[in-house]
Amino acid sequence: MIARSRDYSLLGLEGVKQALARPPDQVSIHPESGMTRALYDCPAVPLTPSGPGVRLVVASHAATSSPPPVGVERDGMVYELFVSTLPRLSFTCSDVLDLYLHRGSFETVLADEDLEQDPDRWCSHRPNGQAFWQILCQWVWNLRLELGQKLSPCELRTTEFAKAALVEPAPCVEPACTQEQTPLAKYGPAQWARPSFTHGFAGSAFTLQPDGTLRCPADRPLYPQERRASA
């Protein structure tokens, strides 16, 4: 869970004050806007006086002449608060900020796509024609992006999360050698079943075939129908 918090009274908590007094845990630079934010990670902060405890990430940057649209301005700095339940070992505070800020990045791209592909919604009044124009316009859009990359190549951006924490393997402890080893079970050769008390056929009355089947005394093939485990 990641959410933005407007409860700026959290900045007055003693643990948050101590975190802000130290150097930032990380510095994040937004790839589009270039805004630089200093990030402070507070692992256990009570969201309310009665709880629960959450992870608080404080992002700060220098204030400008215009009032900040998001955050609170104090002493020439703008503070933004993000609460999360993501573990610190898996997600750094920079990962938390990137995941929140990039949650709507695709919306601007799709908005441009909708403006340039307006006919795909209105060219046909039939379901099949509508689907055809949708596929055709999407193909043209992808081709346009590919040709644009060929004409003006730029480095692709990737999101790299925190590397997995290395867990040292447990020391290998050899089992203690026991003087008396458990003897392996030994089995004798297979034996034919004896006639039953109801005077049925003995096992030797059935002829084993090369394909694993049996033939009964009446020269009929027998196939396995059920297999039961016995003690």
Side-chain angles (χ1 to χ4, degrees), residues 12-195:
L13 297 178
E14 188 62 31
V16 178
K17 289 182 178 179
Q18 295 177 2
L20 295 177
R22 299 191 298 265
D25 296 291
Q26 281 185 301
V27 176
S28 173
I29 301 177
H30 197 275
E32 280 83 13
S33 63
M35 178 179 292
T36 302
R37 291 180 173 91
L39 304 180
Y40 302 87
D41 200 350
C42 307
V45 174
L47 194 59
T48 63
S50 59
V54 295
R55 179 184 180 187
L56 176 67
V57 175
V58 181
S60 65
H61 60 86
T64 59
S65 57
S66 58
V70 180
V72 62
E73 181 178 351
R74 294 183 180 178
D75 299 329
M77 298 294 294
V78 177
Y79 296 93
E80 301 175 64
L81 306 182
F82 302 90
V83 294
S84 173
T85 56
L86 297 177
R88 299 182 67 187
L89 292 179
S90 303
F91 297 89
T92 64
C93 51
S94 179
D95 294 336
V96 174
L97 181 67
D98 290 342
L99 286 173
Y100 182 86
L101 294 181
H102 293 172
R103 78 193 194 286
S105 296
F106 67 94
E107 296 174 358
T108 55
V109 176
L110 293 183
D112 296 339
E113 183 179 343
D114 288 340
L115 291 177
E116 298 196 19
Q117 297 189 56
D118 189 54
D120 70 328
R121 270 100 173 136
W122 308 107
C123 269
S124 176
H125 296 282
R126 302 289 183 181
N128 293 337
Q130 189 81 0
F132 169 77
W133 281 107
Q134 179 74 27
I135 295 174
L136 180 62
C137 288
Q138 187 65 57
W139 177 78
V140 173
W141 175 264
N142 294 338
L143 181 62
R144 173 184 178 276
L145 293 181
E146 183 178 358
L147 294 178
Q149 177 68 16
K150 297 290 184 181
L151 181 63
S152 302
C154 60
E155 185 179 358
L156 298 178
R157 297 199 312 266
T158 58
T159 301
E160 181 180 0
F161 297 104
K163 296 182 179 180
L166 298 178
V167 179
E168 297 183 358
C172 181
V173 179
E174 297 182 358
C177 297
T178 57
Q179 296 180 355
E180 297 182 359
Q181 298 290 340
T182 303
L184 297 177
K186 294 183 179 180
Y187 299 93
Q191 298 180 0
W192 289 107
R194 298 186 298 272

Side-chain angles (χ1 to χ4, degrees), residues 185-205:
K186 294 183 179 180
Y187 299 93
Q191 298 180 0
W192 289 107
R194 298 186 298 272
S196 64
F197 67 93
T198 56
H199 305 289
F201 292 100
S204 57

